[in-house]
Amino acid sequence: MMKKKSISTSRASLVFFLCQMISALDVPLDLSQPPTITQQSPKDYIVDPRENIVIQCEAKGKPPPSFSWTRNGTHFDIDKDAQVTMKPNSGTLVINIMNGGKAEAYEGVYQCTARNERGAAISNNIIIRPSRSPLWTKEKLEPNQVREGDSLVLHCRPPVGLPPPIIFWMDNAFQRLPQSERVSQGLNGDLYFSNVQPEDTREDYICYARFNHTQTIQQKQPISVKVFSMDSLNDTIAANLSDTDIYAKPVTERQPVLLTPTGSTSTKVELRGNVLLLECIAAGLPTPVIRWIKEGGELPANRTFFENFKKTLKIIDVSEADSGNYKCIARNTLGSAHHVISVTVKAAPYWITAPRNLVLSPGEHGTLICRANGNPKPSISWLANGVPIAIAPEDPSRRVDGDTIIFSHVQERSSSVYQCNASNEYGYLLSNAFVNVLAEPPRILTPANKLYQVIADSPALLNCAYFGSPKPEIEWFKGVKGSILRDSEYVFHDNGTLEIPVAQKDSTGTYTCVARNELGKTQNEVRLEVKDPTMIIKQPEYKVIQRYGQVSFECIIKHDSTLVPMVIWLKDNDELPDDERFLVGKDNLTIMNVTDKDDGTYTCIVNTTLDSVSASAVLTVVARPNPPFDLELTGQLERSIELSWIPGDENNSPITNFVIEYEDGLHEPGVWHYQTEVPGTQTTVQLKLSPYVNYSFRVIAVNEIGRSQPSEPSEQYLTKSANPDENPSNVQGIGSEPDNLVITWESLKGFQSNGPGLQYKVSWRQKDVDDEWTSVIVANVSKYIVSGTPTFVPYEIKVQALNDLGYAPEPSEVIGHSGEDLPMVAPGNVQVYVINSTLAKVNWDPVPLKTVRGHLQGYKVYYWKVQSLSRRSRRHVEKKILTFRGNKTFGMLPGLEPYSSYKLNVRVVNGKGEGPASPDKVFKTPEGVPSSPSFLKITNPTLDSLTLEWGSPTHPNGVLTSYILKFQPINNTHELGPLVEIRIPANESSLILKNLNYSTRYKFYFHAQTSVGSGNQITEEAVTIMDEAMASRQVDIATQGWFIGLMCAVALLILILLIVCFIRRNKGGKYPVKEKEDAHADPEIQPMKEDDGTFGEYSDAEDHKPLKKGSRTPSDRTVKKEDSDDSLVDYGEGVNGQFNEDGSFIGQYSGKKEKEPAEGNESSEAPSPVNAMNSFV
């Protein structure tokens, strides 16, 4: 047996599909079967009295059923009523109202019967009622005169219609009346005022009733409301009842009182599955707030809603568990009121198990089950072919057992239609189910070779709808010769469907469904294709963008190559705005010039024929905040005021702080100054004020994006005048001439004057002298000059502000000085101590402070080189100056030249300038080491000699005692030979070195000396030349024809060997290269190196190696393998190098300074073929 599994909760999404397949397993219409009602009108059918009445009744069966009707329980003979017709091949009635019939004449309860030879099915009882929209009854409406603060109810009382009308309140202009917590419409349509206000006065409160069935609106007569305010009422009383103490009481606050429902308790009955609406509306001043609770429990989550400003409690899809006591509480500042509504949930009958059609083969057994529930519990009754089963014809194969009919050993005559009726006082259920006795071999109803396509890792449902009697058994196979599917990875459903819970790529293929019973067997093939899922591999991301910027959301997808994806972008789950700023690309959405309206959630949806994926991201548009508004000044005092404001929109970026600025319209109109700032959570600030200022304030909001535009200015506020609070700042006394004192200060700003007539009292007196203060009063200036003062004398100074109301507080005194003059005396006892050849120290005695005649700023040392002691020539004298700040009496003189004569003097400095110079002091620096020789040239190379020429050091820094020359040979591996040192007299400028090796490179080191030591050295390299006769012989050999032919033969031979070796190596074999070379060796080329097979040429791969300092040629005169192919031509500059018989190098070198060769700047020439061959002879 195949394993069967029920549908799990995780596959709930498949239930609907499976249920469709289950209901589709009907008896094929080509087989005999009892009638089945397929369509009928609703039980409570309200019709439009102006249109034809259509009562539906459709059924199927084999043979096709015939139809009949009952009306109010008796047979309805449609042939006798010319207004009634039945549609062909249908039981649907059409009652012609539009051609003279009246809908009211056809009110009643109708029932349809569909009948054929195998049974009869019946419809529900269909109650036909025409809709009604009666007019409002005429009534005289008195104006409503209400005192301010009282409650009011305007009654609508609409006419009773069918169905009940929809109520709303409007004015004469057909505008809906605004509603709020204070004014709202009740469920019964009345308009409730918790308390009336003067603005409620109007004469056009109109209640409208809309009847949807007839598409008509009925209007009640307008209702007038006049609200008397207490002030106007008292004025009226005072005018009419003078000299009395009778006045209307002022508006008083009142605690809540419930307007509806009345009393403390009420009851409510609602049916299961309906919407429960509970209402509480209260009067009171202030307006009460409504709160709902359920006694002894919680309000049901996800099904509870509050409407009409929380005055209405709405619970959807109620069940028996929602029964209980619901309390509404109305509360204001004076108290509360409450009402308890006891809710009982009843239930019309609902199915637990509805009877289902039963197909049996002769001799089989079966049952029909009819189970229903309700409150109260419904009664169950059975009918057979529309007749109560108790009086229906006998059938020995059936037995009724309460809600179940049991069938045993059925025969073809047992075919019939049974009706189950479950009813209680709130309604009824009626269901038809037939018993059809057939003997039929299996048939598969699913089309052959049907293609199913699913996404990998999702369920696959392969349908095999079948029919047969007896009921066939179903088996599934995979592939042409596959075995029966039994694995746990499959689920086999009763309707024949094969479910693959998690389809994979390897699930693709052909599946065969086999149906068999005792009368036969049949099969069907279906195909399954499993596709790759669609994925968003780059999802849109959360973006924060400034207003007017540009933003882009990415949505990069991956999908099965056989599926065509369609990408849709949504904004806030709706279509994108029709705006050219929105650019939808292949993989992105770009929004240009972003505005505040673009803020929201953007979703990328990718749809294929098989799946759909989506990803969302939020766009937050930020900007500088909007400016604050409604600035208000309160709490005005002489020196303070309170400023308050309302913040503008923060534009998605929280306000961090507010900046308060002020304008002084009296002194600086149009100029705004910073006053203070407060945190962004604060909207009021206490501001300190100055007297005699005409203030206006404005506020600027600040967030992370920037500052808002300033708010509109506040109203102006002029403060009273007062004495100045402060005196001028930065008071100074500095003389500009030796006989004056210039007193300066920073003037007070306009708002600091505290009143009109701002002036300054300037006072001074000489310090430490028993003098009286001298004062002068000035205005509109910030400087005063006192003339005729002694030179550089201290003064006490003060500046005091005053205005027309008086003086500022006594100012503090500052010390100033009259003007300075040049110092009178030069520093004395100047001494110089030479520390070394480039540094000296100078000392001096300070001058008396009285002779400085000003502020001592320091001392200046002037020094200059007179001459060099090693050279008697004079040059332009350049004086150098060192300044030593303060009262310093010594200093260091760096950067002197050795072996030179210097002079210096010292001067004192004050604010006026420099004093006289001290007598010049002469000092000399000792010798130092010389600089390097100015040049070194090597000329006239011969076989065994070189000529050296040099120039003396540019800076001898003393008396030269000698020159030191060191040199050493360099072999062809760049290694250095023994070092030779020669001392040369100082008066020499050239030298011929003899007894050198021919064709040898030498490196030279040359420097000068004084008695102090050696200076920097200069280096050069040069090469002795080789014998001319040998060079000529080499050229002759190289031009011989036999030599050229030999070289060509050797080159061809090597080329052939390389080709053969390459071919053998590619074939995987080994080629004895050494043996082949020995077999074809030419005696003329035996001297060729055997280790690397080259012709003795020097590779330039190592041309740029630096010389190895201190290296020596090995004692055995061997050459290191890794250095063997360095070219000696690197050490020459444009000279053709050649080899002699022993392979040594002969060449001529020009002198050059030693460089680091690591940068590869030296040029080299590759040896010619002539030179190469010389290494073999």
Side-chain angles (χ1 to χ4, degrees):
M1 287 293 292
M2 291 183 293
K3 187 175 180 180
K4 299 181 181 180
K5 295 184 180 179
S6 62
I7 302 174
S8 65
T9 305
S10 62
R11 300 194 300 273
S13 60
L14 305 177
V15 170
F16 177 72
F17 178 70
L18 291 175
C19 289
Q20 284 185 316
M21 291 190 295
I22 292 171
S23 63
L25 294 179
D26 293 334
V27 179
L29 285 177
D30 62 333
L31 298 179
S32 297
Q33 56 185 290
T36 301
I37 300 290
T38 58
Q39 193 173 2
Q40 57 183 315
S41 293
K43 293 179 180 178
D44 192 2
Y45 188 16
I46 299 175
V47 297
D48 189 334
R50 300 166 300 181
E51 297 179 356
N52 292 341
I53 301 174
V54 178
I55 310 176
Q56 290 183 328
C57 180
E58 303 290 341
K60 66 178 181 177
K62 182 66 182 291
S66 60
F67 297 90
S68 62
W69 285 87
T70 62
R71 176 182 173 187
N72 297 326
T74 60
H75 176 67
F76 182 35
D77 191 350
I78 61 175
D79 295 331
K80 294 182 178 180
D81 192 331
Q83 304 293 335
V84 181
T85 59
M86 183 182 295
K87 290 183 178 181
N89 302 318
S90 167
T92 298
L93 295 183
V94 178
I95 302 175
N96 196 333
I97 302 298
M98 302 179 68
N99 288 333
K102 291 187 177 181
E104 292 79 3
Y106 293 94
E107 285 190 58
V109 179
Y110 293 78
Q111 189 172 43
C112 169
T113 300
R115 187 185 307 274
N116 69 9
E117 62 188 30
R118 287 193 167 242
I122 61 175
S123 71
N124 291 320
N125 286 328
I126 302 171
I127 302 175
I128 301 296
R129 294 187 296 171
S131 63
R132 298 181 179 86
S133 53
L135 298 176
W136 244 290
T137 56
K138 295 289 185 180
E139 57 180 326
K140 185 178 181 181
L141 300 177
E142 297 292 335
N144 292 275
Q145 298 185 0
V146 194
R147 187 175 62 171
E148 179 183 357
D150 287 353
S151 61
L152 174 66
V153 179
L154 299 182
H155 298 288
C156 179
R157 299 190 183 98
V160 177
L162 186 67
I166 298 173
I167 306 299
F168 52 94
W169 289 79
M170 301 176 74
D171 58 16
N172 275 330
F174 297 101
Q175 299 296 314
R176 285 186 178 269
L177 297 176
Q179 299 190 23
S180 63
E181 288 186 343
R182 185 179 64 85
V183 182
S184 61
Q185 176 182 316
L187 294 176
N188 63 354
D190 292 348
L191 192 62
Y192 292 85
F193 295 77
S194 295
N195 52 80
V196 294
Q197 301 297 324
E199 60 266 25
D200 296 328
T201 297
R202 63 189 308 151
E203 297 180 350
D204 57 349
Y205 286 93
I206 304 174
C207 181
Y208 288 85
R210 183 174 69 229
F211 298 90
N212 283 342
H213 261 72
T214 57
Q215 296 296 311
T216 58
I217 297 178
Q218 304 290 354
Q219 173 184 334
K220 186 182 179 75
Q221 289 179 318
I223 302 175
S224 173
V225 174
K226 183 173 180 60
V227 180
F228 292 97
S229 67
M230 293 302 99
D231 292 340
S232 61
L233 191 58
N234 284 330
D235 291 343
T236 302
I237 294 175
N240 296 328
L241 301 173
S242 57
D243 299 329
T244 70
D245 293 330
I246 301 176
Y247 289 98
K249 296 180 181 179
V251 176
T252 57
E253 294 183 341
R254 294 175 290 103
Q255 68 179 23
V257 175
L258 287 173
L259 297 175
T260 183
T262 58
S264 59
T265 61
S266 60
T267 59
K268 172 83 172 181
V269 175
E270 191 56 78
L271 292 182
R272 181 180 186 271
N274 287 355
V275 176
L276 173 65
L277 294 174
L278 304 179
E279 180 182 57
C280 274
I281 301 178
L285 186 66
T287 302
V289 175
I290 306 296
R291 185 169 68 92
W292 290 89
I293 61 172
K294 182 180 181 182
E295 293 182 345
E298 299 291 333
L299 295 175
N302 304 322
R303 294 189 293 115
T304 300
F305 304 91
F306 297 100
E307 297 179 346
N308 197 20
F309 309 98
K310 293 191 176 181
K311 298 175 186 179
T312 302
L313 172 65
K314 177 180 178 181
I315 302 177
I316 63 174
D317 192 23
V318 294
S319 64
E320 290 85 343
D322 295 320
S323 297
N325 293 331
Y326 292 80
K327 178 187 285 188
C328 68
I329 303 169
R331 187 184 303 277
N332 66 9
T333 55
L334 299 183
S336 64
H338 68 271
H339 184 92
V340 176
I341 304 174
S342 180
V343 174
T344 302
V345 177
K346 298 290 186 177
Y350 56 91
W351 290 118
I352 296 176
T353 303
R356 296 177 57 185
N357 292 339
L358 191 60
V359 179
L360 301 174
S361 63
E364 280 192 320
H365 309 280
T367 58
L368 289 179
I369 300 175
C370 176
R371 291 176 184 162
N373 202 357
N375 187 8
K377 188 171 181 62
S379 60
I380 303 294
S381 61
W382 287 97
L383 296 88
N385 296 323
V387 178
I389 201 166
I391 59 175
E394 289 287 338
D395 184 350
S397 65
R398 76 172 177 235
R399 179 170 60 88
V400 178
D401 184 7
D403 57 10
T404 303
I405 300 178
I406 303 170
F407 297 92
S408 57
H409 302 291
V410 296
Q411 300 301 319
E412 186 175 352
R413 63 177 180 276
S414 301
S415 297
S416 184
V417 181
Y418 293 88
Q419 291 81 32
C420 174
N421 185 301
S423 61
N424 66 10
E425 59 187 279
Y426 297 107
Y428 74 94
L429 293 174
L430 177 68
S431 178
N432 291 275
F434 64 65
V435 174
N436 196 15
V437 181
L438 293 172
E440 287 291 329
R443 63 172 69 181
I444 294 179
L445 308 178
T446 300
N449 297 314
K450 184 173 182 180
L451 175 63
Y452 293 90
Q453 294 178 325
V454 297
I455 295 297
D457 297 324
S458 63
L461 295 170
L462 308 183
N463 193 11
C464 182
Y466 64 90
F467 183 79
S469 183
K471 182 180 179 181
E473 292 185 356
I474 302 298
E475 292 178 328
W476 280 93
F477 301 84
K478 183 180 180 184
V480 179
K481 297 181 179 180
S483 60
I484 186 171
L485 300 181
R486 301 182 184 276
D487 291 341
S488 58
E489 60 183 289
Y490 301 103
V491 179
F492 303 96
H493 293 280
D494 288 339
N495 62 0
T497 297
L498 170 65
E499 179 184 349
I500 307 174
V502 183
Q504 302 295 333
K505 277 289 194 177
D506 58 5
S507 303
T508 298
T510 301
Y511 292 79
T512 303
C513 165
V514 177
R516 60 164 53 90
N517 65 10
E518 60 190 35
L519 300 179
K521 178 181 102 171
T522 187
Q523 67 182 40
N524 188 29
E525 290 184 353
V526 296
R527 291 184 298 122
L528 173 64
E529 291 181 358
V530 181
K531 308 290 186 179
D532 289 327
T534 305
M535 295 183 293
I536 301 178
I537 58 177
K538 178 67 175 176
Q539 298 187 357
E541 297 177 346
Y542 172 73
K543 295 291 180 69
V544 177
I545 189 70
Q546 291 190 31
R547 186 187 294 163
Y548 309 125
Q550 176 179 324
V551 67
S552 182
F553 292 107
E554 287 187 294
C555 185
I556 301 177
I557 64 173
K558 179 181 178 183
H559 61 91
D560 191 284
S561 59
T562 62
L563 299 178
V564 179
M566 183 173 64
V567 180
I568 301 172
W569 286 91
L570 302 179
K571 178 183 183 294
D572 296 328
N573 295 322
D574 203 350
E575 293 183 359
L576 290 178
D578 185 12
D579 192 327
E580 61 184 9
R581 296 182 302 107
F582 288 77
L583 306 177
V584 178
K586 177 183 177 183
D587 298 323
N588 58 46
L589 167 66
T590 301
I591 308 174
M592 313 288 291
N593 196 21
V594 172
T595 66
D596 293 338
K597 293 181 180 179
D598 301 331
D599 199 276
T601 300
Y602 290 83
T603 303
C604 167
I605 301 177
V606 185
N607 292 322
T608 68
T609 54
L610 298 181
D611 63 348
S612 176
V613 292
S614 65
S616 299
V618 174
L619 173 63
T620 300
V621 180
V622 296
R624 296 183 299 171
N626 293 350
F629 57 95
D630 281 357
L631 273 64
E632 184 178 5
L633 297 176
T634 56
Q636 291 89 340
L637 299 175
E638 290 187 2
R639 292 296 182 99
S640 68
I641 198 168
E642 184 174 88
L643 172 66
S644 61
W645 61 90
I646 297 176
D649 193 336
E650 61 184 19
N651 292 325
N652 293 326
S653 182
I655 295 175
T656 57
N657 57 292
F658 293 99
V659 177
I660 293 89
E661 297 180 340
Y662 71 91
E663 175 197 31
D664 182 0
L666 193 61
H667 303 99
E668 295 179 290
V671 179
W672 290 90
H673 301 276
Y674 173 85
Q675 170 92 4
T676 187
E677 60 184 84
V678 297
T681 56
Q682 189 172 328
T683 57
T684 61
V685 63
Q686 194 76 20
L687 301 175
K688 294 181 179 180
L689 306 179
S690 296
Y692 195 55
V693 176
N694 192 14
Y695 281 101
S696 288
F697 299 97
R698 70 183 187 185
V699 183
I700 299 171
V702 182
N703 64 10
E704 288 186 357
I705 310 304
R707 296 161 62 101
S708 72
Q709 293 294 321
S711 67
E712 292 295 324
S714 69
E715 59 181 307
Q716 291 186 332
Y717 179 62
L718 177 63
T719 55
K720 295 181 180 179
S721 302
N723 294 5
D725 293 326
E726 51 190 311
N727 288 300
S729 59
N730 198 21
V731 177
Q732 294 181 339
I734 302 174
S736 60
E737 299 295 337
D739 62 348
N740 75 6
L741 171 66
V742 180
I743 302 173
T744 60
W745 63 89
E746 287 187 11
S747 299
L748 296 181
K749 296 181 180 179
F751 76 91
Q752 294 174 309
S753 65
N754 286 6
L758 176 64
Q759 300 180 85
Y760 302 99
K761 180 182 179 182
V762 184
S763 304
W764 68 92
R765 70 180 178 185
Q766 189 172 335
K767 191 175 183 297
D768 301 328
V769 177
D770 192 15
D771 278 354
E772 294 294 329
W773 287 93
T774 302
S775 300
V776 63
I777 294 178
V778 296
N780 301 321
V781 296
S782 59
K783 179 174 71 173
Y784 184 77
I785 301 176
V786 181
S787 303
T789 62
T791 300
F792 197 65
V793 172
Y795 279 85
E796 294 176 318
I797 303 168
K798 58 184 179 181
V799 181
Q800 186 178 24
L802 67 151
N803 62 18
D804 292 349
L805 278 76
Y807 286 87
E810 186 67 21
S812 57
E813 300 170 5
V814 298
I815 303 299
H817 287 81
S818 57
E820 298 181 69
D821 206 346
L822 294 176
M824 301 170 59
V825 178
N829 193 24
V830 177
Q831 300 292 330
V832 179
Y833 303 94
V834 177
I835 297 175
N836 56 40
S837 60
T838 60
L839 180 65
K841 179 180 180 181
V842 59
N843 286 13
W844 62 88
D845 290 341
V847 299
L849 289 179
K850 289 185 178 181
T851 65
V852 176
R853 299 200 295 178
H855 295 286
L856 175 63
Q857 294 186 353
Y859 293 87
K860 285 187 178 180
V861 177
Y862 287 74
Y863 66 101
W864 62 97
K865 181 181 176 182
V866 178
Q867 67 177 12
S868 174
L869 298 179
S870 60
R871 298 176 183 175
R872 298 304 174 186
S873 60
R874 289 182 170 272
R875 61 178 182 175
H876 174 69
V877 176
E878 180 183 355
K879 288 189 176 182
K880 297 182 179 180
I881 305 172
L882 287 177
T883 302
F884 300 94
R885 299 289 179 186
N887 199 19
K888 204 170 185 181
T889 59
F890 69 91
M892 307 298 289
L893 306 180
L896 303 176
E897 294 185 12
Y899 205 52
S900 300
S901 176
Y902 281 87
K903 285 185 179 181
L904 65 75
N905 59 53
V906 185
R907 311 176 191 192
V908 68
V909 183
N910 67 9
K912 190 72 173 178
E914 300 175 2
S918 67
D920 291 348
K921 192 75 174 179
V922 178
F923 66 97
K924 299 177 181 178
T925 55
E927 288 188 76
V929 297
S931 63
S932 61
S934 57
F935 67 88
L936 174 63
K937 293 194 298 184
I938 305 174
T939 60
N940 302 325
T942 66
L943 288 174
D944 61 351
S945 69
L946 294 169
T947 300
L948 282 70
E949 297 176 357
W950 62 85
S952 60
T954 306
H955 301 286
N957 294 338
V959 178
L960 295 180
T961 59
S962 62
Y963 291 99
I964 302 297
L965 173 65
K966 298 178 182 179
F967 66 94
Q968 58 189 150
I970 307 172
N971 65 13
N972 59 356
T973 62
H974 304 295
E975 294 181 341
L976 302 175
L979 189 66
V980 179
E981 181 176 324
I982 301 175
R983 184 178 295 274
I984 305 171
N987 57 355
E988 297 289 340
S989 61
S990 65
L991 176 68
I992 299 176
L993 284 176
K994 299 181 178 180
N995 298 323
L996 302 175
N997 296 329
Y998 65 87
S999 188
T1000 302
R1001 178 184 288 272
Y1002 288 91
K1003 186 168 186 176
F1004 298 92
Y1005 312 90
F1006 192 67
H1007 61 262
Q1009 282 188 329
T1010 64
S1011 60
V1012 177
S1014 300
N1016 295 330
Q1017 69 179 15
I1018 185 172
T1019 64
E1020 282 293 346
E1021 294 182 12
V1023 180
T1024 56
I1025 65 175
M1026 68 178 180
D1027 184 21
E1028 295 179 0
M1030 178 60 70
S1032 174
R1033 178 186 171 196
Q1034 290 173 342
V1035 172
D1036 292 340
I1037 296 173
T1039 58
Q1040 297 299 314
W1042 66 268
F1043 176 78
I1044 296 173
L1046 178 62
M1047 290 297 97
C1048 292
V1050 170
L1052 180 60
L1053 178 61
I1054 292 175
L1055 178 61
I1056 293 172
L1057 291 175
L1058 289 175
I1059 294 173
V1060 173
C1061 181
F1062 177 74
I1063 294 173
R1064 289 291 301 273
R1065 185 166 186 168
N1066 283 347
K1067 292 182 177 180
K1070 298 182 179 179
Y1071 186 78
V1073 178
K1074 187 68 174 65
E1075 296 175 4
K1076 293 292 182 179
E1077 289 177 347
D1078 293 342
H1080 298 84
D1082 193 319
E1084 295 295 329
I1085 61 171
Q1086 290 306 311
M1088 184 175 69
K1089 295 179 183 179
E1090 294 183 0
D1091 57 346
D1092 57 11
T1094 65
F1095 288 103
E1097 292 183 356
Y1098 287 86
S1099 168
D1100 61 357
E1102 299 294 324
D1103 280 353
H1104 306 308
K1105 285 188 178 179
L1107 293 175
K1108 301 177 182 178
K1109 290 188 178 181
S1111 63
R1112 295 290 184 267
T1113 303
S1115 59
D1116 58 359
R1117 312 299 293 173
T1118 60
V1119 178
K1120 293 184 180 179
K1121 177 68 177 70
E1122 61 271 16
D1123 298 329
S1124 62
D1125 48 355
D1126 283 354
S1127 175
L1128 293 180
V1129 181
D1130 285 352
Y1131 297 96
E1133 294 184 355
V1135 178
N1136 292 328
Q1138 293 180 337
F1139 291 93
N1140 59 13
E1141 286 118 306
D1142 61 358
S1144 61
F1145 186 86
I1146 302 173
Q1148 187 177 10
Y1149 291 79
S1150 62
K1152 59 179 181 179
K1153 292 187 179 180
E1154 182 181 44
K1155 310 178 190 178
E1156 288 293 337
E1159 294 299 323
N1161 294 326
E1162 298 182 4
S1163 64
S1164 63
E1165 294 184 5
S1168 67
V1170 176
N1171 296 338
M1173 281 308 303
N1174 286 340
S1175 62
F1176 294 103
V1177 297

